[in-house]
Amino acid sequence: MKKFAPVGFLLLLITFCHGRFLNSLHTEASHWRKLPCPNPEDILPCTCTADQDNRMDLDCSLVASEEELERVFSATFPFSTFRNFTLVDNAYLKTLTDQSLGIASFTGVYIMNSVLEGVESNALLNSFGTAQVINMQNNLLSSFPFETLSSFSSLVELDLSDNKLAFPALGSESLLILDLSNNLVDSVSATAFSDTPEISEINLGGNQISHIPTGTFAGHHNLYHVNLESNALTYLPEGAIQLTSSSSGTVILRSNQIADVAVNCITDVSGGNVDVSNNSLKALKEDVFRPILDEEAALDIKNNPLTCGCDIAWLIRDSSLLKLVAEGAACFDGELLADLDPGMFDDLGCP
Ligand SMILES: *[C@@H]1O[C@H](CO)[C@@H](O)[C@H](O)[C@H]1NC(C)=O
Ligand SMILES: *[C@@H]1O[C@H](CO)[C@@H](O)[C@H](O)[C@H]1NC(C)=O
């Protein structure tokens, strides 16, 4: 009898809940289920949606202040483990405070196209173990708690493009993708990526970087994508960009003022792409560019004031290499490389 009572109670409870469940199916068939989400009224103007696998996404794009967001997260949350937090096109939230997100944890944090100026150190404390993507692109961020980056043990992608950030100290064992395009980065040190061993994609386009020290983008076993377009580079030293030869890489350097490049400045791009279009190159040195083309990487060199003297003979004489050069490559006077007569270089005594 002693054992029977709890079982009987359990049966009663199951019957009761089942009845309620069927009942709710009948009366609320057109409404979405509440649980696992909080009460919709409690979290207005945020909305919570859960999919069939009970993954909850929270959208707080309509919050009008820091206080309102904190109030939302002080509501009763039956479950605090969310998939995405989203806040887009918001004109009010300037600071993500330590209290903003309460005890909730997220896999993806997307605060985009808004007016966010700062993120407090512990604002994402509860997502240290869960966050895989942090995307705060196109805000007004002049600071970010980079000192906590190493605590985000699952973080794969950090997109802080289109903000007002300088280059930070970076440390992450998990980070694969970093986007700091269109910020206020004016320099990167040779050790900038020393503490991001898994980094595979680096986007730094649209900054004011004028110099890449030897070794900056080298020695990372996953690195296959480096974008430095629209910076202020004038020269590439030896060993500046060394990708991993295991996958076809991409090196984008278009729209800088690169006038000279050192031997072995870009290596291991086999089968990939190198874009140095719209720069200030007058010569195409064989010892720099032949190794790249020999690895069957496509080379875009259009919009450079190429002199097209003997320095380019090696390329014009080898049609298999010339095929790898993107259409539109021309000399300073507009003549297409593809139209140049290899015989001319022989007639004029080029070695
Ligand atoms: C999370 O939200 C972002 C941005 O809205 C979206 O691109 C992404 O697919 C979402 N992730 C999941 C798993 O739904
Ligand atoms: C070429 O680069 C300059 C900056 O060096 C930029 O202002 C211009 O828009 C670029 N042109 C093209 C066609 O990309």
Side-chain angles (χ1 to χ4, degrees), residues 51 55 57 59 83-88 107-110 112 133 135:
D51 69 8
R55 284 180 299 225
D57 292 328
D59 189 319
R83 179 169 60 185
N84 270 352
F85 175 80
T86 304
L87 184 143
V88 292
T107 306
V109 177
Y110 297 84
M112 308 184 296
V133 178
N135 186 330

Side-chain angles (χ1 to χ4, degrees), residues 208-274:
Q208 288 109 51
I209 302 166
S210 58
H211 173 63
I212 309 175
T214 293
T216 306
F217 301 98
H220 296 92
H221 71 121
N222 284 332
L223 186 61
Y224 77 98
H225 178 101
V226 175
N227 186 340
L228 288 159
E229 71 179 281
S230 303
N231 274 281
L233 298 170
T234 55
Y235 176 71
L236 297 179
E238 181 178 2
I241 303 174
Q242 173 195 62
L243 302 186
T244 133
S245 43
S246 55
S247 56
S248 58
T250 307
V251 177
I252 303 173
L253 294 160
R254 65 172 162 258
S255 302
N256 280 276
Q257 289 105 53
I258 299 169
D260 195 13
V261 285
V263 178
N264 291 325
C265 58
I266 302 170
T267 58
D268 299 286
V269 203
S270 49
N273 286 282
V274 175

Side-chain angles (χ1 to χ4, degrees), residues 110 131-135 137 154-159 174-179:
Y110 297 84
Q132 293 171 11
V133 178
I134 298 177
N135 186 330
Q137 65 174 275
S154 306
L155 190 65
V156 170
E157 180 177 351
L158 179 62
D159 186 342
S174 56
L175 191 67
L176 298 180
I177 304 172
L178 175 71
D179 196 336

Side-chain angles (χ1 to χ4, degrees), residues 3 14 64 143 169 172 186 188 231 274 300 315 330 347:
K3 270 186 185 165
I14 289 170
S143 73
S172 170
D186 58 9
V188 283
N231 274 281
V274 175
D300 192 337
L315 180 59
D347 295 343

Side-chain angles (χ1 to χ4, degrees), residues 136-140 160-164 180-183:
M136 298 187 176
Q137 65 174 275
N138 199 19
N139 281 286
L140 303 168
L160 296 171
S161 57
D162 295 277
N163 279 289
K164 296 163 180 279
L180 280 170
S181 318
N182 303 315
N183 273 281

